[in-house]
Amino acid sequence: MTEAFNQADTPERRRRNRRMLLLIVGIFLGTMLVAGALRFSGWQPPTTKNNGELLHPPVDLRRFAPALAAGGNYAWNQDQRLWRVVVAPPANCTTDCDRIAQQLDTVWQLMGYRADRVEVLWLCEQDGCRAPAPLGEDRSLRLLRANPTLRALLPGVDAASGLPVYVIDPNGFVILRYAPGADPGGLRADLSKLLKLI
């Protein structure tokens, strides 16, 4: 039996086994190197990449209780598990507001059965503002009374021409910002992913 074992353990066979072991180790280390290079280059798979600008760190709005235009305060009730889409238009906003309102109404309707977990917050620039026509009858719309402190906390709200849109998580943190003119399909795609999380 040892004679058969010695015949099977030839120098050629040992070299082949070593090559196979080195190949396995090379494949393992190579995949680790490629994964590390992708990670540190900032690449993300398309399924995990968001369309909006991810805010680092997220803005904490929990300590602010915005006043509703109709009276009372808006509560950041995390038990309701609501996602909020926020628009903070400037005073005398007309065309841009109507366009954004139409887009948000479409996004809200396309959410289907999950639409009841999304609210649109319209932060007025001045008291007595009204919602644009497309959102006027929407049960998910909440008009917020003018609040300069809250408005100032929204990153880049007045930095560019147009209306940025923000997403607030159920806990009251602003986590995403969409630049003026951003594709509303990106907002819908991101909300769809977020609604599956909670």
Side-chain angles (χ1 to χ4, degrees):
M1 185 165 180
T2 36
E3 192 176 318
F5 178 75
N6 288 339
Q7 287 177 354
D9 191 27
T10 63
E12 177 59 35
R13 185 172 178 94
R14 272 190 246 137
R15 279 193 294 274
R16 192 167 23 125
N17 287 343
R18 282 188 194 129
R19 283 192 300 255
M20 194 63 118
L21 180 62
L22 289 174
L23 179 65
I24 291 170
V25 169
I27 290 173
F28 176 75
L29 291 177
T31 54
M32 294 296 288
L33 287 172
V34 168
L38 290 175
R39 164 69 177 96
F40 292 111
S41 72
W43 180 83
Q44 291 181 347
T47 55
T48 61
K49 190 169 178 156
N50 47 294
N51 295 290
E53 171 193 351
L54 190 61
L55 300 177
H56 289 291
V59 179
D60 186 358
L61 299 181
R62 294 175 299 170
R63 64 183 183 267
F64 296 98
L68 293 165
N73 287 337
Y74 183 83
W76 304 110
N77 187 353
Q78 65 185 40
D79 294 335
Q80 291 179 328
R81 311 314 286 159
L82 290 174
W83 291 87
R84 287 103 175 173
V85 177
V86 180
V87 180
N92 303 320
C93 177
T94 54
T95 309
D96 281 345
C97 284
D98 289 338
R99 181 181 52 79
I100 288 287
Q102 183 63 51
Q103 290 173 348
L104 290 179
D105 184 55
T106 303
V107 166
W108 188 81
Q109 289 181 30
L110 290 174
M111 298 312 298
Y113 70 93
R114 292 189 180 118
D116 60 343
R117 293 181 50 213
V118 177
E119 283 186 344
V120 177
L121 304 181
W122 197 271
L123 180 60
C124 297
E125 175 63 23
Q126 57 197 14
D127 288 336
C129 79
R130 61 166 187 80
L135 288 173
E137 301 297 321
D138 192 344
R139 66 182 181 86
S140 72
L141 175 70
R142 303 290 178 264
L143 280 177
L144 302 180
R145 195 173 292 157
N147 186 332
T149 306
L150 182 61
R151 184 179 182 84
L153 288 173
L154 297 174
V157 72
D158 295 317
S161 60
L163 285 171
V165 175
Y166 302 88
V167 172
I168 300 178
D169 74 4
N171 298 314
F173 290 92
V174 183
I175 58 168
L176 289 170
R177 178 184 184 272
Y178 297 85
D183 180 15
L187 172 63
R188 181 188 171 277
D190 287 348
L191 278 175
S192 294
K193 290 179 202 169
L194 293 170
L195 286 169
K196 291 176 186 173
L197 296 177
I198 298 176

